[in-house]
Amino acid sequence: SGVVRNTESLSQLLSIMKTQTSSHSQRLAVLEARDKYIRLRNPQSTTRSGLNLEHVSLKGTCPDMCPERERYSRSAKNQLRWFEKESGELNHFAAVKEHSRSAADQDVPLSHELRPASVLNKTLTFLMCNIVDRIDYMGGTMLQWFSFVDQCEQNCETYVEP
């Protein structure tokens, strides 16, 4: 179990979603099953290719600076940034969504994967007060710091309507 396949039924996905987890990779499998379950129950939220996004209402409901599934995915793959860890472990309150370019074959984001304007504002405030303003205390290189700040600013800019 754990790995979500296209052939899995709703009952199989529900079974995965009820699984107790003890690791970030197991939690990720549960979250992936949840998202697949939602997509199977609501077929309108499929891929971007061939879908007229002007008629799709996307409203962000994610209360965190980084959606839960992305946090666990990056933690399981050891892809957390220096400031997103505390004592080597994922710090859920410091994780910030990574910027990714959209592609036609990607799924339309679910509402819990999108951050509303208030959370984007909170994210930029966090970055300005805890990352940009603390350059002397950061871990990593100056290039890593600059790349991170630039990426986060682009990510927030992507989701703010003009």
Side-chain angles (χ1 to χ4, degrees):
S1 85
V3 176
V4 178
R5 292 180 174 75
N6 289 337
T7 58
E8 287 178 312
S9 69
L10 292 176
S11 62
Q12 289 170 315
L13 293 170
L14 282 171
S15 176
I16 294 170
M17 290 163 47
K18 293 176 183 177
T19 305
Q20 288 189 346
T21 64
S22 60
S23 71
H24 288 187
S25 57
Q26 291 173 344
R27 179 70 179 150
L28 175 60
V30 169
L31 295 171
E32 287 174 342
R34 174 203 61 192
D35 290 356
K36 181 148 188 163
Y37 180 86
I38 292 169
R39 290 183 194 289
L40 286 172
R41 297 279 298 172
N42 183 13
Q44 289 88 1
S45 61
T46 55
T47 62
R48 290 183 170 122
S49 59
L51 195 61
N52 186 352
L53 288 179
E54 291 176 14
H55 296 29
V56 175
S57 176
L58 298 175
K59 180 177 169 88
T61 61
C62 178
D64 305 312
M65 295 189 296
C66 183
E68 185 180 26
R69 185 172 55 117
E70 180 180 326
R71 288 193 313 260
Y72 284 106
S73 173
R74 290 184 30 232
S75 178
K77 296 173 186 172
N78 198 24
Q79 295 177 339
L80 296 172
R81 299 178 204 106
W82 55 271
F83 71 91
E84 295 175 313
K85 299 183 232 180
E86 189 171 303
S87 301
E89 295 293 319
L90 169 63
N91 178 351
H92 292 274
F93 300 107
V96 176
K97 180 170 179 51
E98 282 193 334
H99 177 70
S100 61
R101 300 202 185 278
S102 59
D105 63 344
Q106 283 184 336
D107 289 331
V108 173
L110 298 169
S111 64
H112 64 265
E113 297 173 317
L114 296 173
R115 299 167 294 168
S118 61
V119 176
L120 293 173
N121 184 43
K122 174 182 150 185
T123 303
L124 285 174
T125 300
F126 171 81
L127 293 171
M128 292 298 140
C129 295
N130 296 290
I131 307 301
V132 173
D133 197 38
R134 306 278 194 270
I135 189 170
D136 294 339
Y137 303 106
M138 66 155 201
T141 66
M142 181 69 95
L143 179 59
Q144 289 171 321
W145 173 84
F146 181 78
S147 296
F148 164 74
V149 171
D150 184 55
Q151 177 196 55
C152 290
E153 186 272 330
Q154 284 179 359
N155 191 25
C156 286
E157 203 173 82
T158 300
Y159 294 105
V160 176
E161 294 181 22

